[in-house]
Amino acid sequence: MVKQTYFLLLVFSLLVSKVTVQAQTDQMAVVRSLIQKHPDSALILLKKMHVLATEKDDAATAGLCLQQMGQICYNQGHYAKALEFYLHADKIFATQQNKDLAAANMGEMGVLYYYNKQLDKSRVQYNKALAIYKQTHNKKGQAEIFGNIGHLYEKQQQYDSAIYYQHLSLANYTAANYKQGAAKIYENL
């Protein structure tokens, strides 16, 4: 209990101090580690980080906070609330220079729709994300989306298409030299 309280105080002190880009990255890393063990605490911290980011006109961090809040709600099975957070983040990311943030969020919405059995909406989000990742030449992002599209086809029992997209995913993970992603695809194949 003492360690958890100390940890939460440490995270909170990071939030109220003057933050730099590196500190924001560190905060998000702390929150991501907290999400698995204490999602309720992570959600509270993310809300506070979102408020601070909004006050400082840091749209990218505000959008990332919303996206992570959506991920927590998704993991807890609160799909409607997760979608609300993702859509809010989507509006913010649409105004940003870093288009990969928008694409990643679209990918998350695609996964949400997939598990909510809304396969058409899922594919629309994947297509949007894939178009952005191709535009930004993000091979890792493309690989993730190709793998997700492969799962869509597998769900529809279109196995030839599923294998085709899994192979596209593998090729892109290999091109990005991302072995963890490639291993995941090998497991799917």
Side-chain angles (χ1 to χ4, degrees), residues 36-52:
Q36 297 302 317
K37 294 180 182 177
H38 306 286
D40 52 340
S41 298
L43 194 60
I44 291 167
L45 289 173
L46 283 164
K47 286 181 180 182
K48 290 177 182 178
M49 288 175 66
H50 178 259
V51 168
L52 287 173

Side-chain angles (χ1 to χ4, degrees), residues 60-79:
T61 301
L64 286 169
C65 289
L66 289 165
Q67 185 183 47
Q68 289 300 309
M69 287 188 270
Q71 187 65 43
I72 291 170
C73 291
Y74 166 79
N75 289 342
Q76 299 298 312
H78 303 292
Y79 294 152

